[in-house]
Amino acid sequence: MKNLRPLGTLLLALIFTTSVFAQQSKKRELLSFEAFEAKLNAAGKNAQILDARLPEEYVQNHLEGAVSFSIADKTDFEKQSAKLSKEKPVFIYSIGNGRSGVLAADLRAAGFKDVTEIPGGLSKWIGLGRPVISTTGKGLSRDEYTASLKSDKLVLVDFGSRYCPGCKRLDPTIDSIKTEQAANVKVIKIEAYENKSLVKELGVVGLPTLILYKNNEVVWQKKGGASKAEIEKALKGQTL
């Protein structure tokens, strides 16, 4: 019987750990975009909207009613969160759901009862044509964009942001392809948040997004990170 005690203790620990992990995973689950919008609208003036990006990103584009909430350290977090009500709903966004997820977890740990992230972040919000307060202008028109695609080569368009971690990780790969395949591929980089109308028209709802054109027609598209091998495979498939 004594030999069973350590096993029983181990099983209890495993059950507890699994339970905690399940609760954390459940908290991290994101609403559908439609459900998020409905919840935000229902909250009305009680909505506390937080922009988890850098202040300079906030200045460029932000949701109406949002406040800049870029937290540098624990002291800063405690100071800023003290200005909020733990009883009112909190809505958070970043470019995707990276920084917003970290802030959401911190707020829940601090006792905030109702914390919700924008599913897909600001990139999806803008890509779906939802309004923002902006200082960047509309950027390229659809006609100007279409004109830039005219080429005898394949055209690889990279929609990203200089503030997007995933975009930064992809940059060296895109630069490498631009150099190595200059004879076959024309590479165009688009700063998404400076071209909001274009992003909306093309339905770009995540960053980075790669779109490959051949004779002005889309032949391949990928949202999120892509390896060099994956991109090269897509390019090779159009040059055979």
Side-chain angles (χ1 to χ4, degrees):
M1 292 296 291
K2 290 182 179 181
N3 292 334
L4 294 178
R5 288 178 181 176
L7 180 59
T9 302
L10 179 61
L11 287 173
L12 286 173
L14 180 60
I15 291 171
F16 176 76
T17 302
T18 304
S19 176
V20 170
F21 179 77
Q23 290 176 5
Q24 291 176 340
S25 298
K26 185 176 181 181
K27 289 180 180 178
R28 181 60 175 148
E29 288 179 1
L30 302 177
L31 297 176
S32 68
F33 195 86
E34 294 74 18
F36 170 83
E37 274 196 305
K39 183 174 182 178
L40 178 62
N41 291 333
K45 294 182 179 180
N46 286 325
Q48 301 177 110
I49 308 174
L50 309 182
D51 188 319
R53 303 171 303 147
L54 295 173
E56 59 192 277
E57 295 177 80
Y58 172 86
V59 170
Q60 287 185 340
N61 300 286
H62 61 266
L63 269 66
E64 184 176 3
V67 297
S68 181
F69 209 87
S70 177
I71 304 304
D73 53 38
K74 183 178 179 181
T75 301
D76 192 20
F77 171 79
E78 291 174 349
K79 180 180 178 181
Q80 296 301 322
S81 60
K83 300 176 183 178
L84 303 173
S85 169
K86 293 183 178 181
E87 307 304 317
K88 294 181 180 180
V90 179
F91 300 88
I92 310 175
Y93 66 89
S94 54
I95 290 178
N97 289 110
R99 288 172 285 181
S100 66
V102 173
L103 179 55
D106 288 344
L107 287 172
R108 292 187 184 109
F112 284 80
K113 298 179 179 179
D114 189 354
V115 181
T116 307
E117 297 174 63
I118 293 183
L122 188 64
S123 57
K124 187 165 186 176
W125 181 272
I126 291 177
L128 292 177
R130 302 306 189 264
V132 291
I133 306 299
S134 179
T135 60
T136 62
K138 294 183 178 180
L140 288 172
S141 69
R142 182 63 178 269
D143 288 342
E144 290 170 331
Y145 175 73
T146 300
S148 73
L149 300 176
K150 293 181 180 179
S151 175
D152 295 332
K153 307 176 185 179
L154 295 173
V155 180
L156 180 64
V157 184
D158 175 12
F159 282 89
S161 167
R162 58 185 173 275
Y163 303 107
C164 164
C167 305
K168 291 178 181 179
R169 288 193 294 270
L170 183 62
D171 277 344
T173 297
I174 300 300
D175 292 341
S176 176
I177 287 173
K178 181 178 181 179
T179 300
E180 295 172 5
Q181 302 205 34
N184 303 314
V185 182
K186 176 182 178 181
V187 174
I188 299 173
K189 290 191 175 185
I190 303 289
E191 184 72 20
Y193 294 145
E194 294 176 3
N195 295 276
K196 294 183 295 299
S197 294
L198 181 61
V199 163
K200 175 186 174 182
E201 285 191 60
L202 296 177
V204 175
V205 294
L207 301 181
T209 286
L210 299 175
I211 306 178
L212 181 63
Y213 292 86
K214 183 176 183 179
N215 299 324
N216 278 27
E217 298 291 332
V218 177
V219 292
W220 179 78
Q221 185 167 336
K222 177 70 185 296
K223 182 179 76 171
S227 67
K228 186 176 181 181
E230 185 178 4
I231 299 171
E232 287 178 334
K233 181 179 179 181
L235 296 173
K236 186 176 181 181
Q238 299 303 321
T239 56
L240 293 176

